[in-house]
Amino acid sequence: MIKYILRELKTAYKTKTAKVMAISVVAICLIANLAVMAFTLIYGSDIDGVLGSNVLAFASWCFPIPYLATIFFADMVFGTYPDPHIKDSVTKNMSRTAVYLSELSAGLIVSLSYMILAFVTLLVTTRIFHSDITSYDVSLFVENMSVSILLWVAGVSFGFMFLFMFESKKKAYVAFFILTLVIPRFIMFFAAEPFSLAPFIMVRKILISQSFGHIPYIADPERSVPFIIGQGIVYTVLSSVIGIVAYNKRERKG
């Protein structure tokens, strides 16, 4: 498995997508800081929400964005659909389950590397552009990011589940965004006023989107760190089991 994971990582980091994603991460961090600087210069530093010290706080509200992008990180590793009937020097002694778990492990490593890149870039650029960043701002952001990690892991797992379920990447992407974006928005729409339908209110509580909404607010009584951690673990395990079962049942004609 280790050889397979290392091979997938080497291949993934050499792709054009990897370079584009790295550039995008750096660019977004720069744009975020430049935007705050522009608002500060135009409207003055006393306008609420435009102080440099709030950049990291605002970043916490944007955590759903990398969650929705997790399928791109999964796809970087996944590449073409791994035909279970084709064996090479690395996969000849590997079961389909081992192949799936190796792909997932490589995808999580890639995602972690980009998360570290984003964190370091955001921290450095924010410190350069805004001198009023305090250690409290940084510690609060680190806490929020740490709480979010398992939700991002679940997102990567969802990505691999659909990539292994459908040989058509178009179908995999459509299914992923239906699960992570369309269905949650539909549920939250009918759970909110003026509808406030009880079944949707109950289901809303277990949505990853709902948990991301609570994370930035430390004092929110509905922000339960143990629940969020458990939620990430349950969704990761559940989607992995579904993906493994789907891949093991897959029949391909040579």
Side-chain angles (χ1 to χ4, degrees):
M1 285 182 65
I2 295 177
K3 288 183 178 180
Y4 188 96
I5 292 172
L6 292 175
R7 185 181 71 178
E8 294 301 288
L9 289 173
K10 184 178 180 181
T11 302
Y13 285 123
K14 287 183 176 180
T15 61
K16 186 177 180 180
T17 303
K19 298 179 178 63
V20 171
M21 294 293 282
I23 294 172
S24 299
V25 167
V26 175
I28 290 172
C29 293
L30 288 172
I31 291 171
N33 280 280
L34 291 173
V36 170
M37 285 186 66
F39 273 92
T40 302
L41 290 172
I42 295 172
Y43 297 106
S45 60
D46 293 330
I47 303 300
D48 183 44
V50 297
L51 294 175
S53 60
N54 286 332
V55 173
L56 297 182
F58 290 154
S60 298
W61 300 341
C62 298
F63 285 164
I65 296 176
Y67 167 68
L68 294 174
T70 49
I71 191 170
F72 296 104
F73 297 116
D75 197 10
M76 279 173 54
V77 173
F78 188 80
T80 56
Y81 195 93
D83 191 332
H85 299 304
I86 297 179
K87 300 291 184 179
D88 55 26
S89 59
V90 176
T91 61
K92 63 181 180 180
N93 295 320
M94 293 179 64
S95 65
R96 297 188 188 186
T97 299
V99 170
Y100 186 98
L101 293 176
S102 296
E103 290 276 351
L104 176 60
S105 298
L108 292 175
I109 292 173
V110 168
S111 301
L112 177 63
S113 66
Y114 278 91
M115 183 186 73
I116 294 173
L117 173 63
F119 173 72
V120 173
T121 304
L122 182 62
L123 199 61
V124 171
T125 53
T126 303
R127 175 65 71 178
I128 291 173
F129 289 113
H130 309 287
S131 59
D132 60 348
I133 296 298
T134 66
S135 57
Y136 175 76
D137 297 321
V138 176
S139 63
L140 185 60
F141 179 74
V142 171
E143 178 184 344
N144 289 336
M145 188 174 71
S146 300
V147 173
S148 302
I149 288 177
L150 286 177
L151 299 184
W152 291 328
V153 169
V156 175
S157 187
F158 286 148
F160 276 105
M161 177 183 72
F162 288 120
L163 287 169
F164 273 95
M165 287 177 67
F166 303 102
E167 291 190 43
S168 167
K169 284 194 177 181
K170 181 181 292 186
K171 292 181 180 179
Y173 272 82
V174 169
F176 175 85
F177 286 113
I178 288 176
L179 178 68
T180 59
L181 184 61
V182 177
I183 292 178
R185 297 312 304 173
F186 178 81
I187 292 173
M188 294 175 79
F189 177 78
F190 285 103
E193 295 182 353
F195 303 102
S196 300
L197 300 178
F200 291 94
I201 293 175
M202 292 179 61
V203 175
R204 182 179 61 181
K205 295 178 180 179
I206 64 172
L207 294 177
I208 287 180
S209 303
Q210 181 78 353
S211 294
F212 274 123
H214 294 315
I215 287 174
Y217 303 100
I218 304 297
D220 187 343
E222 294 188 27
R223 182 185 186 271
S224 172
V225 174
F227 176 81
I228 294 173
I229 292 174
Q231 184 182 40
I233 294 173
V234 169
Y235 281 130
T236 299
V237 172
L238 183 61
S239 56
S240 296
V241 170
I242 294 173
I244 289 171
V245 170
Y247 186 46
N248 275 282
K249 289 184 176 181
R250 173 69 61 184
E251 291 295 337
R252 285 184 56 126
K253 297 180 179 180

